Amino acid sequence: QVQLVESGGGLVQPGGSLRLSCAASGSIYRIGVMGWYRQAPGKQRELVATVSSGGSTNYADSVKGRFTISRDNAKNTVYLQMNSLTPEDTAVYRCNAYVTSSRYTSSEFWGQGTQVTVSS
């Protein structure tokens, strides 16, 4: 089995920064695309950013220029550096990864989520 564990959420003032981390563990052979999604109360889940195993990135228009996604393949970890945060960024952030297990089966996995609250 594979687990994704996020950390780094919390309360921050508008204009502040946070860095989220998500570490994958378990019976991992290879990890493909990793990403971050978020869901605010009363809203649908939305893509924030993704990064391929080769480092290619994709961002939602709402976070371009403010957020940076990166990954450390040796640590099976994906990061989300969030700068210039606004109250509209308040949401539960969940990481996502496409993992090929040591048994060579591929599945999509999700973390449990971490709350990010931007408020003065």
Side-chain angles (χ1 to χ4, degrees), residues 5-48:
V5 178
E6 299 116 332
S7 61
L11 173 65
V12 63
Q13 292 186 342
S17 298
L18 281 176
R19 188 191 194 209
L20 305 183
S21 300
C22 173
S25 62
S27 302
I28 298 170
Y29 171 70
R30 182 178 60 229
I31 301 178
V33 174
M34 303 182 81
W36 289 94
Y37 292 74
R38 67 186 181 185
Q39 187 167 18
K43 295 186 178 181
Q44 291 187 334
R45 184 177 64 200
E46 63 172 346
L47 169 71
V48 176

Side-chain angles (χ1 to χ4, degrees), residues 38-109:
R38 67 186 181 185
Q39 187 167 18
K43 295 186 178 181
Q44 291 187 334
R45 184 177 64 200
E46 63 172 346
L47 169 71
V48 176
T50 61
V51 58
S52 71
S53 57
S56 297
T57 59
N58 178 56
Y59 294 94
D61 288 342
S62 59
V63 306
K64 283 182 181 177
R66 301 188 298 123
F67 291 11
T68 302
I69 189 170
S70 60
R71 63 190 284 172
D72 184 332
N73 291 328
K75 296 181 179 180
N76 290 334
T77 300
V78 62
Y79 306 97
L80 185 69
Q81 177 66 44
M82 305 185 293
N83 299 328
S84 302
L85 285 160
T86 74
E88 288 68 38
D89 296 314
T90 295
V92 174
Y93 286 70
R94 298 181 70 187
C95 69
N96 168 279
Y98 286 86
V99 180
T100 300
S101 74
S102 56
R103 295 186 176 184
Y104 305 107
T105 58
S106 296
S107 300
E108 182 181 22
F109 293 91

